[in-house]
Amino acid sequence: MQQNQTLEQNTPSTTDGDKNLNRFSVAPMLDWTDRHCRYFHRLLTKNTLLYTEMVTTGAIIFGKGDYLAYSEEEHPVSLQLGGSDPAALAQCAKLAQERGYDEINLNVGCPSDRVQNGRFGACLMADAQLVADCVKAMRDVVSIPVTVKTRIGIDEQDSYEFLCDFIDTVSTKGDCDTFVIHARKAWLSGLSPKENREIPPLDYPRVYQLKRDFPHLTMAINGGVKTLEEAKEHLKYLDGVMMGREAYQNPSILTAVDNQLFDETMPIVDNIEAVRRMYPYIEKELSNGAYLGHMTRHMLGIFQGIPGARQWRRHLSENAHKKGADLTVVEQALAFVTRGE
């Protein structure tokens, strides 16, 4: 297929937030989107699809901890899996469905050396048939959606034809109908994961074209999305938008998602009220042995641009990690915002 750069608007295959889980989502981010983060984000938006950090099949099957733990309040929530063994992925997908996850997502986008050494992530783009086998193995044992998050190419394999062949193989032979496309290619060597998020140029038109060439598939876009206005623009051509670091570092963006992208009759969430609604969760987790700082680190950016935000961040950063730190620390920090200092 030849890429056509004309930006004709697309009519997405599904636009109803209840039917399309992927209309707006917060990206899976290692060491960031843990269960504490997701609980807080859910207080800011009811409709956004939340993702776990990537969890490897080995951790789930052989690990000593409970890598599938989450709170019921997090729904809708997707488990992102890392792996390339169809049988192991099927086993984990089945466990995830039994635990109540709303979706399974296969990571075919992470370029880190650690991920490549395990033969999963972006390096899997070079073996579309294996990805198809992995997805099909999961689809055969679960009834919940199984989706793929990928890049637009890897290394020198970055032609539009390569991308189309990958999508065609995974969708037809893997029975995959939903893809989240990070609109950058990945360099598997020479760039760090951080550089791979910034240096390869974004190519939104290529993803728009992909949707036009595969209109029957659900396509969401990821990469560089920083505002809801940008999300609205992407939704003119695609079925969904995934926002990453901006949603984490400035979570107040999420307070308007339900109103702006799903249902204009829904209220915009009040930041201060959302923080206070975290109190019962914080108290429960503290009683179970969690550390305050493990929860409040996800809340640092909620008041970005509001008077008192700097003092809020400083007070939490300096005190939440201390032994015995409790809800009093959060209340003290919140006072800087409510007083507008």
Side-chain angles (χ1 to χ4, degrees), residues 175-210:
D175 196 21
C176 182
D177 59 13
T178 300
F179 293 83
V180 181
I181 312 291
H182 187 152
R184 287 185 175 95
K185 79 170 185 179
W187 287 101
L188 298 181
S189 60
L191 294 182
S192 69
K194 181 177 186 297
E195 290 170 331
N196 258 303
R197 293 192 300 268
E198 299 169 352
I199 292 177
L202 286 162
D203 192 346
Y204 294 146
R206 179 166 292 200
V207 184
Y208 297 167
Q209 182 65 43
L210 198 65

Side-chain angles (χ1 to χ4, degrees), residues 9-295:
Q9 290 192 15
N10 164 70
T11 300
S13 55
T14 41
T15 56
D16 187 330
D18 292 332
K19 295 179 181 178
N20 180 12
L21 279 176
N22 301 89
R23 182 169 172 78
F24 186 83
S25 61
V26 174
M29 291 175 279
L30 200 60
D31 298 325
W32 288 14
T33 53
D34 62 20
R35 62 189 184 87
H36 301 314
C37 172
R38 298 192 304 269
Y39 190 96
F40 181 56
H41 284 180
R42 182 56 70 220
L43 295 178
L44 307 177
T45 167
K46 295 180 183 295
N47 292 294
T48 297
L49 177 62
L50 303 178
Y51 282 80
T52 68
E53 304 166 271
M54 183 190 68
V55 186
T56 66
T57 54
I60 294 172
I61 297 171
F62 303 111
K64 295 181 180 179
D66 182 2
Y67 290 91
L68 296 178
Y70 71 98
S71 299
E72 285 298 317
E73 291 85 354
E74 293 175 32
H75 291 293
V77 59
S78 175
L79 171 69
Q80 187 182 64
L81 288 174
S84 58
D85 177 6
L89 285 163
Q91 180 181 348
C92 292
K94 191 172 182 180
L95 290 171
Q97 177 169 280
E98 290 170 356
R99 294 289 290 273
Y101 278 91
D102 298 285
E103 178 193 278
I104 307 295
N105 178 264
L106 180 64
N107 185 322
V108 190
C110 182
S112 76
D113 292 339
R114 184 178 69 172
V115 165
Q116 290 182 57
N117 290 337
R119 206 190 173 203
F120 51 90
C123 65
L124 285 177
M125 281 200 81
D127 194 342
Q129 184 58 58
L130 177 57
V131 175
D133 292 343
C134 290
V135 174
K136 186 66 165 60
M138 291 187 280
R139 292 273 291 180
D140 285 346
V141 297
V142 300
S143 58
I144 58 177
V146 178
T147 67
V148 168
K149 184 175 187 290
T150 189
R151 296 270 183 147
I152 59 173
I154 50 172
D155 296 337
E156 301 303 332
Q157 295 175 290
D158 62 351
S159 69
Y160 185 63
E161 288 76 14
F162 170 78
L163 178 59
C164 286
D165 286 345
F166 175 83
I167 296 296
D168 184 59
T169 298
V170 177
S171 62
T172 57
K173 297 184 178 180
D175 196 21
C176 182
D177 59 13
T178 300
F179 293 83
V180 181
I181 312 291
H182 187 152
R184 287 185 175 95
K185 79 170 185 179
W187 287 101
L188 298 181
S189 60
L191 294 182
S192 69
K194 181 177 186 297
E195 290 170 331
N196 258 303
R197 293 192 300 268
E198 299 169 352
I199 292 177
L202 286 162
D203 192 346
Y204 294 146
R206 179 166 292 200
V207 184
Y208 297 167
Q209 182 65 43
L210 198 65
K211 173 61 185 180
R212 287 197 294 276
D213 288 334
F214 295 89
H216 58 291
L217 300 177
T218 297
M219 297 265 182
I221 197 166
N222 172 232
V225 182
K226 295 185 180 299
T227 69
L228 296 188
E229 287 305 312
E230 292 174 11
K232 289 178 182 178
E233 185 64 21
H234 288 308
L235 287 170
K236 293 177 181 177
Y237 308 100
L238 296 157
D239 304 293
V241 176
M242 174 182 281
M243 183 180 284
R245 277 153 179 76
E246 191 66 27
Y248 184 90
Q249 294 166 346
N250 182 18
S252 61
I253 286 177
L254 300 178
T255 64
V257 166
D258 295 343
N259 176 276
Q260 294 293 307
L261 301 183
F262 288 90
D263 182 353
E264 63 183 13
T265 66
M266 296 189 72
I268 295 176
V269 176
D270 180 79
N271 292 351
I272 293 175
E273 180 59 28
V275 168
R276 287 175 172 151
R277 288 174 59 200
M278 271 292 286
Y279 286 3
Y281 177 83
I282 291 173
E283 289 184 320
K284 182 187 72 173
E285 290 297 315
L286 288 174
S287 69
N288 290 334
Y291 293 99
L292 181 65
H294 290 174
M295 293 174 274

